Amino acid sequence: MSSLTDIEKRYFEKLFGMSSGYVLDFSNATFDKFFRRYNVNIHGPKYQTFGTSKAKKLRAFWESEPDQLVGPVLSEMLASYEADCELTGQDVDKIPLERARRIVDRLTGVSMARDSAGKESEFLDREFAIPSIQKLPIDPRVVPIVEARLNEARIALGAGAHLSVIFLCGSVLEAVLLGAARQSPAIFNQAKATPTKNCSPKRFHEWSLAQLINVAYEVGILKLDIKKFSHGLRDFRNYIHPYEQLASGFTPDEHTAKVCFQVLKAALASLAGER
């Protein structure tokens, strides 16, 4: 079982809104998909000892699993919470969030410098230039496609096609991170967050966008701020499935689209070595 204390659990309970029986804005399907990335069947009988709601399953999870697994899961959930707040224009609950971050650091054994709210605002307000496509780690045959999607994203942003902007940004980010992995296979395959199958690294085309983001951060290609907001972009890209959007009850607006485009530009600048 994890070493979370009863007091520490209360911070996550509050941030994730677990008193309602839910966890953030996860549906049953997205909750299952999230945990599958950690090779956990969260809807299985192992995690139904307290009941069948998502909150009760999460409580069973952190009661039965070790710190080495619970820590990364809670870390990604905190990143989703922060990104959701930013993308929906809501204020984060700063004190519980900072405390929860320190708890995650203890669970994972990692001590990292955290961006303050002021730095997050600075990141979103900064102007990033899209680098030359030739500087990005992608197959030359894909370059025209990436260029076309970036141009289409600009047009969609000006036309108010907010969902289209998010889908295009997510697809470009995934293509470029996949290209980075293929250019540096040894580095990506030896990371702690590398997804495995039968004790061997999965083929890169089998990696999810979340896994590409996490490993790119771990190996130093993406910074913490980009990692955090990239997970937000990834979450909103899942709205390509209408039932995902229905389950969340949220419709992205211009602010959301601009944040996603900003995240993409910052990620591209980092991948091109210009940040």
Side-chain angles (χ1 to χ4, degrees):
M1 60 182 294
S2 75
S3 62
L4 282 172
T5 68
D6 288 340
I7 292 176
E8 288 176 332
K9 293 170 186 175
R10 294 184 185 186
Y11 289 95
F12 297 100
E13 294 262 355
K14 177 176 176 58
L15 291 169
F16 300 158
M18 293 170 61
S19 62
S20 64
Y22 292 91
V23 176
L24 297 173
D25 62 351
F26 284 109
S27 64
N28 285 334
T30 58
F31 204 52
D32 175 71
K33 187 176 180 180
F34 175 90
F35 276 96
R36 290 287 182 183
R37 295 201 299 272
Y38 293 92
N39 296 317
V40 171
N41 178 17
I42 194 63
H43 294 315
K46 179 179 180 179
Y47 305 108
Q48 296 185 21
T49 53
F50 301 136
T52 58
S53 72
K54 288 181 282 292
K56 289 180 178 179
K57 289 174 182 176
L58 179 56
R59 294 182 188 114
F61 168 76
W62 65 39
E63 284 291 329
S64 60
E65 300 297 349
D67 290 351
Q68 293 82 354
L69 178 59
V70 174
V73 166
L74 293 180
S75 178
E76 186 174 348
M77 284 188 172
L78 287 177
S80 295
Y81 164 77
E82 292 180 85
D84 287 347
C85 287
E86 184 64 43
L87 294 168
T88 57
Q90 299 178 24
D91 293 329
V92 298
D93 204 343
K94 294 181 181 178
I95 295 177
L97 176 59
E98 197 56 42
R99 176 58 175 156
R101 285 170 172 167
R102 291 197 295 269
I103 295 167
V104 166
D105 283 349
R106 180 182 66 76
L107 294 176
T108 58
V110 174
S111 178
M112 62 179 63
R114 298 293 186 175
D115 287 348
S116 66
K119 288 185 178 180
E120 291 173 5
S121 177
E122 179 186 346
F123 166 74
L124 294 173
D125 292 338
R126 196 179 312 159
E127 182 59 36
F128 294 100
I130 295 177
S132 169
I133 303 299
Q134 282 67 33
K135 292 184 178 181
L136 296 174
I138 53 177
D139 188 323
R141 295 172 298 176
V142 182
V143 167
I145 297 174
V146 170
E147 288 182 323
R149 294 194 179 196
L150 284 170
N151 289 330
E152 190 169 335
R154 291 192 191 94
I155 295 171
L157 187 60
H162 306 134
L163 275 174
S164 295
V165 174
I166 294 168
F167 299 156
L168 289 163
C169 288
S171 70
V172 171
L173 179 61
E174 185 163 12
V176 178
L177 289 178
L178 180 58
R182 286 174 170 168
Q183 280 197 5
S184 305
I187 295 175
F188 272 72
N189 280 329
Q190 293 173 11
K192 292 180 180 179
T194 298
T196 60
K197 185 176 182 179
N198 297 325
C199 300
S200 297
K202 287 185 177 181
R203 293 185 175 186
F204 290 133
H205 71 270
E206 297 177 315
W207 288 31
S208 67
L209 178 53
Q211 291 163 342
L212 287 167
I213 292 169
N214 289 338
V215 174
Y217 165 70
E218 183 182 333
V219 302
I221 292 176
L222 298 180
K223 293 186 178 181
L224 180 61
D225 52 4
I226 302 178
K227 174 198 174 187
K228 181 183 69 174
F229 289 109
S230 292
H231 276 302
L233 168 57
R234 171 187 58 79
D235 286 339
F236 282 96
R237 189 196 63 163
N238 288 337
Y239 286 169
I240 197 168
H241 305 292
Y243 281 96
E244 294 286 350
Q245 186 175 355
L246 177 65
S248 73
F250 177 69
T251 299
D253 57 13
E254 181 180 9
H255 174 75
T256 306
K258 286 182 175 179
V259 169
C260 290
F261 198 54
Q262 174 79 336
V263 171
L264 176 62
K265 290 191 293 182
L268 295 182
S270 288
L271 286 159
E274 295 184 357
R275 190 183 177 202

